[in-house]
Amino acid sequence: MAEQTLRAAAAERGFDVGAAVDADALATDPSYRRRLAREFTAVTPENALKMGPLRPSPDTYDFGDADAVVGFARAHDMRVRGHTLVWHNQTPSWFRPWEYTDDEIGEFLRTHVHTVAGRYRSAIDTWDVVNEAVADDGEMRETVWYDALGEEYLDLAFGWADEVAPDADLYYNDYGADAVNGKSDAVYDLLSRLLGRGVPVDGVGLQLHALGDWPDPDSVAENVARFRDLGLDVEITEMDVAFPAGEAPPDALARQADYYAEVVETCLDAGVDSLTVWGVDDARTWLRSFREFPERYTGDPLLFDDAGDPKPAYHAVRDALGRS
Ligand code: G3I
């Protein structure tokens, strides 16, 4: 008898297991497409919905890759997390903020949010509206948006998204805020302020890039509980698990699998019903190409190996979902 897929185990549990999708792989690799549709219930376009890739020139949008990912998800009955409307990274190369007044920056952002969230209002039910607004020291990150509009840029962005996609769940998403720590305290404070001002935030995305230093699952549970007490939904949005380069132990794959399973169990216990891994297979992980990261971390953080075969982590996640 064929083994149960990860997708079937997740669906039985009422849980979403998503994957970040590489639009090039989706377009060119049939085995990638098969694996994605067979094993996952949800997708997040890894780059295709970011401002830079979407906007090749000031007057044009290129929705080709994003439409392809969203169309694939629709065809295979998968949920889509929209990532991301407002971020300081991956802005268009032609966008030179110093050529704009503060009001023009606001208008630029409003048009962007309305255009993108509006286009996908019937296809994308969850948006990372703002990504990574808090700096590592807990202060508000000094971005082009913050410099022009102050903290209110978040109020505005969530408000604009809510205007054009009133049925979507609107998330704030960040890294390093997975467990209880100084950064998650700052994210908690920020979200408390937004909610206090009546901003339509529905949830918080904890990215959970476990790179070298893996967040303690008990502390993740405590962190989830306090965000849920604020009335927010919580999703794990970008999980991957790697060791420091050159320091992987002989049982690295088993330890990685155990950690994935612990996080899934934490989610199930804590009322989190969606976990996205940041890629499908190790061959395409961002850790192998991003800045100095290939020298810093092992490049095998995902559920499928370079050949596209399931790893111990895959079985661990599937089995954790199957346990009552
Ligand atoms: O597509 C272009 C290609 O045309 C060009 O020739 C090449 C030359 O550099 O760049 C390609 O774009 C790269 C893109 O990934 C697609 O591969 C960008 O340079 C590169 O910066 C970009 O990296 C992405 C990164 O975000 C940007 O900050 C990663 O793929 C993506 O995994 C990563 O995802 C982020 C989340 O959005 C937010 N949370 C953290 C996470 C990891 O950094």
Side-chain angles (χ1 to χ4, degrees), residues 34-117:
R34 278 197 298 277
R35 195 170 309 115
L36 184 63
R38 189 179 63 229
E39 301 291 354
F40 295 93
T41 68
V43 299
T44 303
E46 184 173 356
N47 289 297
L49 280 170
K50 294 172 181 171
M51 191 183 274
L54 274 181
R55 304 191 60 174
S57 80
D59 304 318
T60 56
Y61 286 79
D62 178 355
F63 290 110
D65 283 350
D67 282 356
V69 178
V70 169
F72 181 89
R74 271 203 154 164
H76 295 91
D77 197 21
M78 302 165 92
R79 202 184 129 219
V80 185
R81 294 195 92 259
H83 175 82
T84 173
L85 294 168
V86 183
W87 194 24
H88 58 282
N89 261 336
Q90 283 178 290
T91 54
S93 54
W94 50 262
F95 176 56
R96 291 187 283 272
W98 55 91
E99 293 176 354
Y100 296 70
T101 64
D102 292 350
D103 283 350
E104 286 168 343
I105 294 274
E107 182 55 20
F108 176 87
L109 199 56
R110 186 188 69 77
T111 307
H112 181 79
V113 171
H114 273 179
T115 304
V116 179

Side-chain angles (χ1 to χ4, degrees), residues 8 40 53 67 94 114 122 131 135 171 180 189 214 229 255 282 289:
F40 295 93
D67 282 356
W94 50 262
H114 273 179
S122 63
N131 193 41
Y171 272 64
V180 174
D189 291 344
W214 301 355
D229 285 346
R255 286 170 59 170
D282 288 340
S289 58

Side-chain angles (χ1 to χ4, degrees), residues 24 46-47 50 83-84 87 89-90 131-132 173 175 207 209 238 278 286 289-291:
D24 287 341
E46 184 173 356
N47 289 297
K50 294 172 181 171
H83 175 82
T84 173
W87 194 24
N89 261 336
Q90 283 178 290
N131 193 41
E132 302 171 3
N173 191 52
Y175 68 85
Q207 296 186 6
H209 292 289
E238 305 187 12
W278 205 239
W286 68 292
S289 58
F290 190 72
R291 298 185 189 154

